Each structure stands twice: as C-alpha cells, then as structure tokens.
C-alpha cells in the first residue's frame, strides 16, 4: 500500500496536497488492508449478534481468534506475511475457508439461514471458490467431486485447487489417491516453490501410509495429565485414535458417540483422543462432565501437533480404527460409518 501511495503522490496536483491527498488515502485504504495485514469484513442477515472463530491450518495465525458480530456485521484484521488459508467457524460450527493474502481484504455477505450461499469477495481466489460453491450447492456428492476435478483441471495455478484436491480426493470418507496424484501432478506443473503445495504432498503421503491394512505408525506424546501416550496404550485390543476440538461440533458429536460405545463395551475398546485446541484449559473444560476416562493428548500446537503428524491426521474430526494386531482397519470414517463398523467389530 505504501508503494502505491508514494506513486500517487507524484501525480497529485499541488493545490490538492491537503484534502485531495486525504481523499485518495481513504479510497485506497477502503479497497484493501495495510501492508503486512489481511482484513475480513462481514455482513449477515438474520444474525444480529454472535461470535465466530478463526483458525489457520497453514499457521498464518497461532491459536484461535474470536470475531464479534454486532448489528449483523464484523470487521477483523490480522498480521499476514504470507498467503494461506483461514478457516472461519460459524455459530452452528460449519466452516468457511478464506484465502488470505498480504495487504488484501475480503468481504463476506450472506444469510445466516443459508450459509452455503455465502458470497466472499475481494480476491480472485475467494471469488473463484464462491463461484464453485454456488455451482455445486444443489448437486450430489458424486457430481460435486466431478466438478472439483474439472475446476482443478481448468485452474491448476489457483490456490483454490489445492484446497479442493485436499477436500474431495484426500480428506474424504472414500479417498481417491490415484486421481489425487494425477491432479497433484497437474498442479505442480503450474505452481512452483509453494509451501502449501509441499504440505499437500506431505499430507497425501501420510494419508496413503495410514490407509487400510497398513501397520499403525509409532507415535508418542503426553496426555492432559502429563502421562505418556504411545503405541503401548493400544494394549492389544481394538482401538480408535481420533481427533477433536472444542470448537468443532462435528468432532464433539463423534467423541460423544465413541465414548457411548466405549461405556457399552468396556475393556473391549480402547480410545485415544487428540485434541487440536490451542489451549489445554479449553480442552479440559470440554471434558469436565465426561465420565469416561481415556487418554487425551493436547499439546496446544493444533495442526502442528507432533502426534497428529506421526499418525497422518490433517483434519478435525478424523479417526483410525486399529486392530488387536496393530493394523489399520479404517481411516477417516464419518460418525455414522464409524459407529456401524465398530458395532460389527465388537460383536
């Protein structure tokens, strides 16, 4: 921004050095954010007050920011030195990815009762994703995946393609690693020296390594009470290792169902939870009323948690079913599929 202002000052007539200069500054600052920052603004119908949460799987921000909605509007600015993804968590715990760019700003405009139709404007990447979401809002999951593949083929240089590849071909109930590798090769031909691309390649390799019939990787960490948690905690029994966070309703529901089935079957089922909260205290508060005492790891490093990385977890919620022999039976089931599979295995 400062570079643009210095250029404009050269063209500004001398007699407008006062009010004219202020006028131009106001115009420019309304079109973006300051150098080194990224700004989000939002306007929502049918939602006057509330709180949103903001986190970044790319590490653009550490921890979780809280955004206050007043009169249906919010405004939030964060330090931003590199491009990456922010995840905006709504009061109903649904999430909206936002592509952040240094010195830019985006505006969100939507109806709280139809968040799938939310429009995000301000940068090319966010507008491309908005267009894609509106296109697939009423199609079947199979058609949605086909649209995602088409988008990637037509826009391999866009950061949106990395997000769609991860969502529709890797972090899905039925990952398609073969097509993921083909699309990733296309993206690599158009994107060079990208940290996000490198991370995606790593995540793809991790997910393949923790696929069905693979041996569970070695892992180690400490639970919220300071006790070690390792492969030894699997104890030669059927086990589920799962990820959750206090700000993710879907993961809390999955944890609730897992603990229900653990109470039912007792020592037949081992559970190990990995909490992605940025605060151990928040994690403990979420567990206060839980009568099932099973190991929960929370190292306050969110998606950079060593235990999550060792086990190939890259999303919330996620889960791995491990056999008595230490082999992976399933990875990444949704809650319904997870419960059905466990009931069959525990008969």
């Amino acid at each position: 921004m400062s570079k643009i202002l210095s250029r404009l000052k050269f063209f500004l007539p001398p007699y407008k050095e006062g009010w004219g200069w202020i006028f131009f500054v106001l115009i420019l600052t309304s079109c973006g954010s300051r150098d080194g920052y990224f700004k989000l603004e939002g306007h929502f119908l049918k939602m006057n007050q509330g709180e949103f949460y903001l986190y970044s799987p790319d590490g653009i921000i550490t921890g979780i920011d809280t955004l206050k909605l007043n009169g249906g509007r919010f405004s939030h600015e964060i330090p931003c030195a590199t491009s990456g993804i922010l995840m905006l968590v709504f009061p109903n715990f649904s999430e909206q990815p936002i592509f952040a760019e240094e010195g830019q700003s985006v505006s969100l405009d939507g109806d709280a009762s139809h968040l799938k139709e939310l429009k995000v404007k301000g940068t090319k990447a966010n507008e491309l994703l908005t267009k894609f979401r509106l296109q697939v809002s009423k199609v079947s999951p199979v058609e949605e995946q086909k649209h995602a593949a088409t988008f990637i083929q037509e826009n391999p240089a866009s950061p949106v393609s990395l997000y769609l590849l991860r969502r529709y071909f890797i972090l899905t109930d039925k990952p398609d690693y073969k097509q993921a590798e083909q699309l990733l090769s296309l993206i690599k031909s158009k994107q060079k020296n990208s940290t996000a691309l490198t991370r995606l390649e790593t995540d793809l390799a991790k997910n393949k390594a923790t696929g069905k019939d693979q041996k569970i990787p070695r892992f180690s960490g400490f639970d919220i009470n300071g006790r070690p948690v390792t492969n030894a905690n699997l104890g030669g029994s059927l086990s589920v290792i799962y990820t959750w966070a206090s700000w993710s309703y879907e993961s809390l529901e999955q944890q609730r169902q897992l603990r229900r089935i653990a109470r039912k079957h007792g020592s037949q089922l081992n559970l190990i939870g990995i909490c992605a909260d940025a605060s151990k205290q928040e994690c403990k508060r979420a567990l206060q009323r839980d009568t099932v005492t099973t190991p929960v790891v929370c190292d306050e490093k969110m998606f950079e948690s060593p235990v999550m990385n060792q086990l190939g977890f890259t999303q919330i919620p996620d889960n791995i079913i491990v056999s008595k022999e230490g082999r992976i039976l399933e990875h990444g089931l949704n809650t319904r599929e997870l419960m059905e599979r466990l009931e069959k295995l525990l008969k």
Side-chain angles (χ1 to χ4, degrees):
M1 179 67 71
S2 59
K3 294 177 182 178
I4 298 173
L5 291 174
S6 64
R7 291 194 190 105
L8 272 176
K9 188 172 182 180
F10 176 79
F11 293 103
L12 203 63
Y15 66 88
K16 290 186 178 180
E17 189 67 34
W19 290 108
W21 178 245
I22 294 173
F23 174 73
F24 271 95
V25 170
L26 289 173
I27 290 176
L28 286 171
T29 53
S30 68
C31 296
S33 185
R34 298 177 288 161
D35 285 347
Y37 288 82
F38 175 73
K39 187 176 182 180
L40 300 89
E41 296 180 308
H43 177 218
F44 291 86
L45 299 175
K46 300 179 183 177
M47 186 188 297
N48 189 48
Q49 292 184 323
E51 290 185 349
F52 297 162
Y53 299 104
L54 191 72
Y55 72 92
S56 172
D58 290 347
I60 296 177
I61 58 174
T62 57
I64 300 173
D65 285 2
T66 300
L67 285 62
K68 300 286 187 179
L69 187 73
N70 288 304
R73 298 180 182 274
F74 76 87
S75 180
H76 188 69
E77 190 175 53
I78 62 167
C80 178
T82 59
S83 299
I85 293 181
L86 299 168
M87 298 301 294
L88 187 63
V89 184
F90 295 112
N92 67 353
F93 296 101
S94 63
E95 296 184 347
Q96 169 65 41
I98 304 292
F99 293 90
E101 298 178 33
E102 187 266 339
Q104 300 297 314
S105 67
V106 298
S107 62
L108 288 70
D109 190 15
D111 186 322
S113 61
H114 297 88
L115 288 175
K116 286 186 177 181
E117 299 174 8
L118 176 70
K119 294 180 180 179
V120 185
K121 299 179 180 179
T123 69
K124 183 177 180 180
N126 286 296
E127 290 171 4
L128 275 174
L129 182 58
T130 294
K131 184 178 179 181
F132 173 82
R133 286 190 299 101
L134 294 176
Q135 286 176 340
V136 302
S137 62
K138 296 180 181 179
V139 302
S140 68
V142 174
E143 287 298 315
E144 198 169 344
Q145 189 182 56
K146 288 180 180 178
H147 279 288
T150 299
F151 180 97
I152 295 169
Q153 290 161 356
E154 294 177 349
N155 303 275
S158 172
V160 180
S161 290
L162 292 173
Y163 168 76
L164 295 181
L165 179 60
R166 184 190 301 273
R167 175 178 176 182
Y168 289 100
F169 299 95
I170 301 176
L171 304 183
T172 178
D173 297 341
K174 297 178 176 59
D176 187 340
Y177 296 132
K178 182 177 180 180
Q179 189 168 12
E181 289 174 336
Q182 292 171 347
L183 293 170
L184 183 58
S185 178
L186 176 61
I187 293 173
K188 287 175 65 176
S189 69
K190 299 296 182 181
Q191 297 190 32
K192 307 295 183 183
N193 301 321
S194 165
T195 302
L197 180 58
T198 301
R199 185 179 291 111
L200 183 59
E201 287 186 278
T202 301
D203 289 348
L204 176 55
K206 287 178 181 177
N207 275 267
K208 288 183 67 177
T210 52
K212 291 181 66 171
D213 301 323
Q214 299 292 322
K215 187 174 178 60
I216 189 72
R218 295 190 65 81
F219 63 92
S220 62
F222 292 90
D223 71 8
I224 54 177
N225 297 308
R227 293 186 290 258
V229 178
T230 68
N231 296 66
N233 289 82
L234 301 178
S237 300
L238 184 69
S239 303
V240 178
I241 309 172
Y242 65 96
T243 64
W244 67 281
S246 63
W247 39 263
S248 168
Y249 175 80
E250 185 180 358
S251 74
L252 290 173
E253 175 61 18
Q254 188 167 110
Q255 178 172 246
R256 188 180 71 80
Q257 293 292 345
L258 281 169
R259 290 177 175 249
R260 176 189 62 78
I261 203 170
R263 281 192 290 269
K264 177 180 177 182
H265 293 278
S267 60
Q268 288 182 275
L269 179 65
N270 283 332
L271 297 180
I272 298 176
I274 304 173
C275 178
D277 279 2
S279 164
K280 194 175 293 185
Q281 293 305 315
E282 288 294 330
C283 172
K284 288 182 176 181
R285 274 195 286 270
L287 296 171
Q288 279 179 347
R289 298 182 182 180
D290 206 318
T291 57
V292 177
T293 55
T294 57
V296 174
V297 175
C298 182
D299 52 24
E300 303 182 326
K301 296 181 180 179
M302 298 184 71
F303 290 92
E304 298 303 318
S305 165
V307 180
M308 285 190 70
N309 288 327
Q310 289 161 9
L311 290 165
F313 288 129
T314 55
Q315 65 175 339
I316 306 294
D318 204 350
N319 53 75
I320 294 175
I321 302 179
V322 187
S323 72
K324 296 178 181 180
E325 297 73 32
R327 295 209 166 267
I328 296 172
L329 301 177
E330 302 286 354
H331 182 183
L333 298 180
N334 63 39
T335 301
R336 178 184 58 79
E337 293 171 335
L338 180 61
M339 294 305 109
E340 290 176 354
R341 186 78 169 100
L342 287 175
E343 289 289 3
K344 289 180 180 178
L345 290 167
L346 291 165
K347 279 185 178 180

